[in-house]
Amino acid sequence: MSRKLLESDVNEINELLKKSKRIVICSHYNPDGDAVGSVLGLSAVLKQKGYQVEAILPNPIPRFYRFMFGAEGIKYYSQEQNECESSLCSADLIFLLDLNHLGRLGDKMSAFFESLEAPMIMIDHHQQPSDIAKVLYSDTTFTSTCEMVYHFVDQMGWMEFLSVRAMECVYAGMVTDTASFRFPVVTADTHRIVANMMDKGLKHAPIHQAIYDTQSESRLRLVAYALSSKLEVWQESGVAVVYLSQEELERFNHQSGDTEGLVNQALSIDGVHLAAFFKESEDEGKIKCSFRSQGNFDVNTFARTHWNGGGHYNAAGGHWVGTLREAVERFKVLTA
Ligand code: 5GP
Ligand code: MN
């Protein structure tokens, strides 16, 4: 683990780029702000450098991330599988951003990746990165993959190719992965990066507005319903859970991203140090789980051990097969 790219890595990346014309950049299933921002930010830089770049994500991004530069050009594996596969097959180089193992691409896309031969470069801030990339730039002390992309671009000597539109993508990922710069992982260096980008023309306010002030009425009502009717708090253990069924999601015309941040609301209750959000997924019997903690409860290990997932020390996710009620009960027993 190193905050800086090793000199040998810089050399290796330059060698790989010399042999490359077509580059594909990918990130994880259910892309969040950091996934979208890092993919589009790095895409913009590499396009400026003259490469033919394609952004491919496993499934569509939430509506409130579509303001990012290049978002309309993203290809989705869930929608255009053949086209995505032919792009991946003809790629000279593949970047994997904000993911630590291929499984994070989702079952179908990760199975397809097993057959690919193009060299890969992984840039990621999750724990326990797998050994699949030719070059691995991994460091859990960074707020976000977007912060790492900024450092990556800087260390490669490409700062002149980071346009203001690309900076907006980088900033969006930093804002969303830090819940607006509030987590302990934020450093003076994080703020210096933002200051540098603002010096170069980045405007922060429209980005916050695009992400946080453009929600649909039905989303606000879904969140209100979840918090008033589907929140359980166990004060004695300092634990809270919110959970939603498919029927409830459909009742509120649920769109991708609508439940983002709900688990943090549960964590914001005084005395609560661990919160979970369980959501019935469209695949029958599968529950998507999100965990957030404050202080020294390690949700990465918790998600790895009990919920087929992983993530960070204070923010992790996973999935579990069973009913929603069983997931809530299991969570209650495990955390009592
Ligand atoms: P979220 O709760 O927002 O879906 O995810 C929180 C964190 O956990 C993110 O950093 C995400 O990368 C990670 N995460 C979410 N779901 C999974 C999962 O199924 N497996 C693993 N390994 N990590 C996950
Ligand atoms: Mn991230």
Side-chain angles (χ1 to χ4, degrees):
M1 189 161 89
S2 145
R3 268 185 94 79
K4 285 201 154 199
L5 275 170
L6 303 172
E7 204 182 309
S8 55
D9 286 341
V10 174
N11 294 338
E12 174 127 41
I13 293 162
N14 279 323
E15 282 307 309
L16 290 171
L17 285 167
K18 252 189 235 165
K19 291 181 236 157
S20 302
K21 257 205 317 234
R22 283 185 293 263
I23 299 176
V24 173
I25 310 186
C26 300
S27 189
H28 60 81
Y29 194 80
N30 289 342
D32 59 7
D34 195 26
V36 183
S38 58
V39 165
L40 293 178
L42 186 61
S43 293
V45 170
L46 290 169
K47 277 184 193 161
Q48 283 283 316
K49 284 192 60 63
Y51 296 99
Q52 213 176 303
V53 186
E54 274 198 282
I56 297 184
L57 292 174
N59 62 334
I61 65 175
R63 193 178 43 83
F64 46 86
Y65 293 139
R66 288 192 208 139
F67 74 92
M68 285 191 236
F69 182 59
E72 68 294 338
I74 300 175
K75 283 205 187 116
Y76 298 107
Y77 192 80
S78 60
Q79 294 178 345
E80 300 175 88
Q81 188 174 332
N82 290 343
E83 245 186 272
C84 290
E85 290 185 351
S86 74
S87 297
L88 284 161
C89 284
S90 56
D92 303 308
L93 181 61
I94 298 172
F95 278 87
L96 293 172
L97 305 184
D98 201 39
L99 59 83
N100 55 353
H101 64 96
L102 288 181
R104 297 284 292 129
L105 294 168
D107 296 344
K108 265 188 168 177
M109 191 165 160
S110 63
F112 177 73
F113 255 71
E114 303 288 345
S115 64
L116 291 176
E117 279 167 16
M120 299 186 202
I121 298 176
M122 182 186 277
I123 305 177
D124 180 52
H125 68 136
H126 293 92
Q127 303 184 35
Q128 292 118 337
S130 62
D131 183 23
I132 43 162
K134 191 117 186 165
V135 179
L136 172 65
Y137 182 30
S138 157
D139 191 327
T140 60
T141 69
F142 282 108
T143 58
S144 50
T145 300
C146 278
E147 187 173 347
M148 297 185 74
V149 164
Y150 183 93
H151 279 281
F152 181 84
V153 168
D154 190 21
Q155 290 169 80
M156 293 304 296
W158 300 342
M159 271 325 235
E160 66 189 285
F161 300 102
L162 188 72
S163 65
V164 172
R165 294 307 313 272
M167 288 180 206
E168 290 171 2
C169 302
V170 169
Y171 182 78
M174 291 171 73
V175 169
T176 51
D177 254 29
T178 58
S180 302
F181 304 102
R182 56 181 285 182
F183 293 150
V185 66
V186 172
T187 61
D189 198 35
T190 313
H191 288 291
R192 266 189 288 272
I193 289 175
V194 174
N196 286 339
M197 294 198 292
M198 289 177 77
D199 278 343
K200 290 177 183 160
L202 172 77
K203 302 245 179 304
H204 66 284
I207 299 173
H208 287 261
Q209 200 196 356
I211 298 172
Y212 298 111
D213 296 337
T214 58
Q215 58 182 330
S216 62
E217 182 184 334
S218 59
R219 178 189 182 185
L220 194 60
R221 291 192 188 282
L222 172 65
V223 170
Y225 166 75
L227 294 177
S228 68
S229 305
K230 304 301 297 286
L231 170 73
E232 288 184 29
V233 184
W234 304 305
Q235 284 288 359
E236 58 296 352
S237 46
V239 176
V241 60
V242 191
Y243 51 100
L244 289 169
S245 68
Q246 259 304 311
E247 183 278 315
E248 289 163 326
L249 292 165
E250 280 162 26
R251 202 188 319 154
F252 288 90
N253 186 26
H254 168 259
Q255 306 292 307
S256 120
D258 277 2
T259 55
E260 226 172 79
L262 204 46
V263 64
N264 298 83
Q265 306 247 32
L267 188 67
S268 73
I269 300 166
D270 191 20
V272 168
H273 71 275
L274 170 64
F277 171 55
F278 295 109
K279 180 167 81 173
E280 213 171 50
S281 76
E282 283 161 26
D283 307 343
E284 210 169 326
K286 204 166 169 185
I287 310 293
K288 165 81 184 96
C289 324
S290 286
F291 304 103
R292 298 291 185 275
S293 67
Q294 254 160 20
N296 55 9
F297 188 97
D298 175 4
V299 285
N300 172 45
T301 303
F302 182 66
R304 276 177 174 267
T305 311
H306 303 290
W307 307 93
N308 307 300
H312 309 281
Y313 194 89
N314 293 124
H319 62 88
W320 190 71
V321 176
T323 68
L324 197 53
R325 196 64 240 170
E326 283 163 358
V328 172
E329 283 308 313
R330 179 178 158 82
F331 178 65
K332 188 174 182 178
V333 170
L334 286 170
T335 58

